[in-house]
Amino acid sequence: MSPADEDEATGIHCRLDELLAERGMTLARLSELVGVSVVNLSILKNDRARAIRYSTLSAICGALDCEVGDLLTRAP
């Protein structure tokens, strides 16, 4: 993969910040619930993640009581 490819957007938008706001939950609290560092959750929240483990995705959705499609959407 060339450096240019690495800089391209994935076309996936993470709605983590919106879901946290709707539930009145902080990133720190979500970190405690799912066992993922605040730094890694922040990378996900800011659409900078390149990958996410299914176990992490499942834990986040469980903690936020949402479906994967509520958390991850295709960017326009």
Side-chain angles (χ1 to χ4, degrees):
M1 181 180 303
S2 73
D5 291 337
E6 291 178 11
D7 290 337
E8 287 183 20
T10 62
I12 302 295
H13 170 64
C14 181
R15 297 184 60 245
L16 185 56
D17 54 345
E18 298 161 51
L19 294 173
L20 287 170
E22 288 172 9
R23 286 150 178 80
M25 187 184 295
T26 65
L27 204 58
R29 178 63 180 141
L30 181 62
S31 172
E32 293 171 0
L33 292 172
V34 301
V36 175
S37 73
V38 172
V39 171
N40 283 337
L41 288 175
S42 181
I43 289 168
L44 183 63
K45 180 176 79 81
N46 293 311
D47 289 332
R48 293 190 185 127
R50 300 230 179 261
I52 184 170
R53 292 179 185 201
Y54 285 155
S55 59
T56 300
L57 192 56
S58 178
I60 291 170
C61 288
L64 295 176
D65 189 29
C66 70
E67 297 296 324
V68 174
D70 298 329
L71 180 64
L72 301 175
T73 60
R74 280 186 4 156

